């Protein structure tokens, strides 16, 4: 069955979100757009969009998420408040590879003001195409899950 990806951004991430959405529409993934709309003329608050995507992922309504803001940092901080979410900002091939192979990142965060937009699209594709390493990495993720459940 096709996987569903939720994608959201603030005003700083609008253009990059559109590029990534257009790219994903050419794949087998089902893409759900959480805004902000491309024609939005005002500033918006990144936590609102991060919470919408990460909240639905946490509830099992999404398989994966992509969040774009100026740096990706605010999106990452907010998304990681939700149970079962492993969000990380990536900026190059190695951080992207590690994020998936070692950490099984399920919410990719991108900084539209930090990373060339074409490169960010390539990194998104790389993240989707990379497999989680499992074994010792799974054990470590289990520990994160235990910490989360103790809260
Ligand atoms: C918005 O100006 C900016 O703060 C936001 O896009 C993001 O970079 C926050 O982490």
């Amino acid at each position: 069955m096709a996987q569903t990806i939720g994608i959201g951004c603030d005003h700083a991430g609008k253009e990059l979100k559109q590029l990534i959405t257009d790219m994903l529409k050419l794949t087998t993934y089902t893409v759900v757009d959480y805004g902000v709309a491309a024609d939005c003329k005002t500033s918006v608050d990144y936590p609102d969009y991060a919470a919408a995507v990460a909240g639905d992922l946490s509830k099992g309504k999404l398989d994966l998420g992509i969040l774009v803001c100026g740096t990706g940092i605010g999106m990452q901080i907010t998304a990681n408040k939700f149970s079962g979410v492993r969000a990380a900002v990536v900026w190059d091939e190695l951080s992207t590879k590690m994020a998936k192979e070692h950490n099984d990142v399920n919410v990719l965060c991108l900084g539209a003001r930090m990373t060339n937009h074409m490169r960010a699209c390539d990194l998104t594709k790389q993240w989707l195409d990379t497999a989680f390493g499992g074994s010792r990495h799974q054990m470590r993720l289990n520990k994160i899950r235990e910490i989360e459940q103790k809260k």
Side-chain angles (χ1 to χ4, degrees):
M1 207 172 84
Q3 286 202 305
T4 304
I5 304 181
I7 186 162
C9 69
D10 69 358
H11 54 284
K14 282 186 310 187
E15 290 80 12
L16 179 53
K17 174 167 74 74
Q18 194 56 54
L19 278 180
I20 294 172
T21 303
D22 292 345
M23 178 187 81
L24 292 177
K25 282 186 179 156
L26 303 173
T27 70
T28 55
Y29 292 96
T30 303
V31 184
V32 183
D33 191 341
Y34 284 73
V36 66
D39 60 358
C40 174
K41 300 274 187 287
T42 57
S43 280
V44 296
D45 300 328
Y46 62 81
D48 297 337
Y49 298 89
V53 171
D56 275 358
L57 189 119
S58 186
K59 287 181 205 142
K61 294 184 184 173
L62 298 170
D63 298 298
L64 296 167
I66 299 172
L67 292 167
V68 190
C69 65
T71 60
I73 296 170
M75 292 297 198
Q76 173 185 269
I77 292 170
T78 312
N80 279 319
K81 302 291 178 197
F82 290 81
S83 171
V85 170
R86 294 178 300 279
V89 187
V90 300
W91 58 92
D92 64 5
E93 286 72 15
L94 184 59
S95 57
T96 305
K97 175 181 155 73
M98 292 296 113
K100 189 61 164 293
E101 261 185 34
H102 287 206
N103 311 112
D104 199 20
V105 156
N106 54 11
V107 175
L108 187 75
C109 300
L110 294 162
R113 292 174 177 159
M114 315 296 281
T115 308
N116 170 282
H117 288 189
M118 284 303 142
R119 189 165 204 217
C121 287
D122 288 344
L123 297 178
T124 302
K125 198 170 173 310
Q126 186 197 338
W127 170 65
L128 292 171
D129 292 345
T130 301
F132 173 50
S135 77
R136 71 183 190 281
H137 303 301
Q138 183 59 58
M139 250 175 47
R140 291 161 186 163
L141 294 191
N142 294 347
K143 290 195 172 191
I144 296 176
R145 192 80 182 136
E146 280 167 27
I147 291 166
E148 207 169 50
Q149 283 164 350
K150 275 189 204 146
K151 279 204 297 185

